[in-house]
């Protein structure tokens, strides 16, 4: 089935492994190109290589909690592939533990990443898609 994704370009966060990487694999298999990100530079580089290298996938080492990450990802998509068609926002959740055992600082860090990071990412990508 042709999903019409050939040469479309997507940015993905939390995509060096897990759900984000699996989604990147599906997009590339359908002909799309991807910009993927996570915090560990070696894992990002390895994931981009597994997806086919610079023709198909480029990696950016970036923390979703960083306010600059959305604009950086959009810029790489535009500079490397010349367009942007959408995004997948995935990220690791809070550390495993009960509500009682997770500290205030861990909750704050998770809020910065999972909530604010996602809101910023979606807002930035939506602005660029609208143009
Ligand atoms: N797997 C499931 O069946 C499932 C089901 C329901 C919900 N979920 C939720 O979906 C999310 C992803 O799950 P997963 O199984 O794909 O997790 P995973 O295998 O642990 O992968 C998480 C990915 O996110 C990256 N990441 C973590 N923190 C980040 C940050 N602050 N900024 C940028 N990238 C970050 C990780 O790389 P780095 O550590 O190098 O940054 C990695 O690439 C989690 O919140 C999980 O709770 C998962």
């Amino acid at each position: 089935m042709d999903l019409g994704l050939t040469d479309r370009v997507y940015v993905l966060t939390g995509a060096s492994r897990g759900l984000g990487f699996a989604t990147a694999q599906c997009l590339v298999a359908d002909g799309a190109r991807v910009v993927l990100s996570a915090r560990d530079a070696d894992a990002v580089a390895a994931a981009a290589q597994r997806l086919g290298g610079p023709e198909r996938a480029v990696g950016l080492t970036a923390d979703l909690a960083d306010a600059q990450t959305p604009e950086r990802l959009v810029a790489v998509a535009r500079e490397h592939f010349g367009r942007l068609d959408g995004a997948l926002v995935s990220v690791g959740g809070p550390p495993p533990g009960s509500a009682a055992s997770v500290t205030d600082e861990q909750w704050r860090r998770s809020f910065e990443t999972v909530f604010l990071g996602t809101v910023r990412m979606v807002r930035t990508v939506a602005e660029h898609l609208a143009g």
Side-chain angles (χ1 to χ4, degrees), residues 13-21 37-41 43-44 62-65 90-94 113-114:
T13 67
S16 62
R17 61 175 189 270
L19 299 177
F21 183 74
S37 67
R39 295 166 300 175
D40 183 285
V44 169
D63 189 331
L64 192 60
S90 183
V91 66
T113 307
V114 179

Side-chain angles (χ1 to χ4, degrees), residues 95-110:
S98 68
S101 67
V102 175
T103 66
D104 285 4
E105 185 46 37
Q106 287 172 319
W107 283 119
R108 275 196 201 96
R109 222 176 306 132
S110 298

Side-chain angles (χ1 to χ4, degrees), residues 9-16 33-39 44 57-91 117-118 120-122 124-125 128:
V9 177
Y10 298 90
V11 294
L12 299 95
T13 67
S16 62
R33 297 166 185 211
V34 296
V35 178
L36 59 96
S37 67
R39 295 166 300 175
V44 169
V58 293
L60 178 73
T61 306
D63 189 331
L64 192 60
D66 182 344
Q68 307 305 315
T69 290
E71 289 289 354
R72 290 178 64 210
L73 279 164
V74 168
V76 172
R78 287 261 166 87
E79 284 160 18
H80 194 84
F81 293 124
R83 58 185 286 166
L84 176 66
D85 296 285
L88 172 94
V89 186
S90 183
V91 66
T118 299
R120 278 193 296 257
M121 188 70 204
V122 170
T124 301
V125 169
H128 285 271

